[in-house]
Amino acid sequence: MLSEFDLITKYFTKPISNASLGIGDDCALLMPTPGTQMAISTDMLVSGTHFFPDTDPAQLGHKSLAVNLSDLAAMGADPVAFTLALALPRAEETWLKPFSEGMFSLANLFQCELIGGDTTKGPLNICITVFGQIPLGQAIRRDNARHGDDIWISGTIGDARLALAHCRRETALNDDEFSKVLPRLQMPMPRVALGKALRKIASAALDLSDGLLGDLTHILNASKVGATVNIDALPVSSILARQPEDFRMLCALGGGDDYELCFTAPVSKRSRVLEASDKTGIPVTRVGFIESTPGLRLRNNNGELQTFSHHSFDHFLTTEK
Ligand code: ADP
Ligand code: MG
């Protein structure tokens, strides 16, 4: 059995280049580039709440960091470093090795380095804090959406919830369909390049982690505006498009874990949004617009008002997820 310090050395200590000091001292040292602001975010993943206890450790390593990098993406920040607080029932190398490999392969992709953390025995719990940087004043916040702005979504939404529904036997996908949607639940790809490309273009942004309805409402409340969304314009995969309408809407509007970006931008910047999408190879779809009347209205292609009773995920209010 490995000791606490052996496992930190063996599985979590890698050469660093962004930070001035990494793992091994009481604190790590970061030196932000002059003229930048640091963007900092924490996400905790708890066994049984955020993932099934038998989840593949490599995918869990990937996802634990991915959900954090997604928050940096939503602000338009460049990833720099992260810390890892880990509670583990046992120091099992058959778990630690794939977990650290899954985490570091994503970290390397975004040149985001592990600079510290904490390791303790306990029920499996993974808490990562990411540090990013953004040129001063260019962070894309939630509180700056304006009347008339377009509402955009990257990629497609709802497939993570669709995969979860299959795992819970709420729906039955065929093998080919399930193998295509499962990575959306287990291996989300943070939209970092798009977030950075949207600096000085998007007026507000967030990443979709708890479902479009609830997440977009965060932008509306912070910006003190309302919105209309065309449910027929929502970008969904061909697999989700084949599902019955009610269930499709539950996945697209209320399903969590998409990690796509939802952002607003002035109509005058439509061509620049499309350029950012082309440049990064990440598709974007215009799904609605911001209005001064508070509230979120859903309409279909014919302009008819639609109602949707499902709420987005809330740990203390919902049993959904
Ligand atoms: P302290 O007692 O000062 O909290 P620790 O003994 O917990 O320090 O950790 C020793 C060093 O190892 C510190 O630099 C800490 O940041 C790092 N560390 C501990 N656990 C992890 C982990 N899971 N991942 C990365 N670094 C870690
Ligand atoms: Mg400690």
Side-chain angles (χ1 to χ4, degrees):
M1 198 59 97
L2 286 176
S3 76
E4 178 186 334
F5 297 101
D6 290 342
L7 86 80
I8 294 167
T9 307
K10 186 162 178 189
Y11 292 112
F12 297 120
T13 309
K14 306 272 177 189
I16 49 151
S17 52
N18 297 339
S20 319
L21 184 64
I23 290 173
D25 213 314
D26 293 308
C27 291
L29 296 173
L30 281 179
M31 182 111 116
T33 307
T36 66
Q37 283 173 308
M38 295 223 81
I40 301 164
S41 181
T42 297
D43 258 314
M44 179 156 63
L45 279 80
V46 177
S47 179
T49 300
H50 298 94
F51 57 89
F52 296 114
D54 61 351
T55 298
D56 175 77
Q59 291 176 343
L60 194 56
H62 172 106
K63 185 165 177 176
S64 307
L65 181 59
V67 302
N68 278 279
L69 291 175
S70 179
D71 285 318
L72 292 184
M75 298 293 284
D78 244 318
V80 174
F82 66 106
T83 59
L84 168 69
L86 191 59
L88 279 175
R90 292 168 299 278
E92 252 170 9
E93 296 197 61
T94 50
W95 189 90
L96 281 161
K97 183 172 188 294
F99 174 81
S100 76
E101 285 170 357
M103 186 182 69
F104 279 115
S105 66
L106 187 69
N108 293 341
L109 208 58
F110 291 100
Q111 290 160 350
C112 189
E113 59 197 24
L114 182 59
I115 55 167
D118 199 24
T119 307
T120 174
K121 187 170 170 159
L124 183 58
N125 185 330
I126 303 152
C127 183
I128 288 182
T129 298
V130 279
F131 301 83
Q133 58 180 31
I134 319 178
L136 190 61
Q138 291 185 21
I140 311 168
R141 300 163 46 139
R142 296 180 177 187
D143 59 1
N144 195 38
R146 294 286 178 260
H147 168 76
D149 284 357
D150 292 319
I151 302 170
W152 299 81
I153 291 174
S154 69
T156 61
I157 54 173
D159 277 357
R161 182 64 183 80
L162 180 57
L164 183 66
H166 178 93
C167 295
R168 288 172 167 177
R169 302 183 200 284
E170 294 166 356
T171 191
L173 300 171
N174 65 40
D175 289 350
D176 179 57
E177 291 173 330
F178 184 54
S179 69
K180 287 190 173 120
V181 296
L182 187 61
R184 293 299 311 263
L185 178 65
Q186 295 189 322
M187 301 272 286
M189 261 310 187
R191 301 303 204 179
V192 172
L194 180 64
K196 283 166 59 181
L198 288 171
R199 289 175 189 162
K200 299 201 275 185
I201 297 173
S203 49
L206 49 61
D207 65 322
L208 294 172
S209 55
D210 296 329
L212 176 63
L213 279 195
D215 285 335
L216 178 56
T217 300
H218 294 316
I219 288 186
L220 303 184
N221 290 343
S223 299
K224 300 189 174 64
V225 291
T228 289
V229 165
N230 178 357
I231 59 166
D232 291 326
L234 297 176
V236 297
S237 70
S238 57
I239 300 169
L240 186 54
R242 290 199 288 272
Q243 301 296 315
E245 184 177 6
D246 268 9
F247 179 60
R248 187 171 77 236
M249 284 302 136
L250 181 145
C251 292
L253 292 172
D257 270 354
D258 286 320
Y259 300 104
E260 294 293 351
L261 298 185
C262 173
F263 59 96
T264 62
V267 173
S268 61
K269 295 197 170 156
R270 274 185 197 170
S271 60
R272 294 192 60 199
V273 170
L274 295 173
E275 274 166 29
S277 163
D278 275 355
K279 192 173 83 182
T280 57
I282 299 171
V284 294
T285 306
R286 198 150 46 81
V287 300
F289 48 87
I290 298 291
E291 297 164 310
S292 42
T293 313
L296 174 53
R297 287 155 292 280
L298 303 175
R299 294 187 186 276
N300 62 13
N301 267 344
N302 298 328
E304 295 155 350
L305 214 51
Q306 307 288 299
T307 53
F308 180 75
S309 56
H310 301 282
H311 296 284
S312 82
F313 183 70
D314 181 301
H315 278 281
F316 297 103
L317 296 180
T318 12
T319 49
E320 166 63 10
K321 202 167 189 176

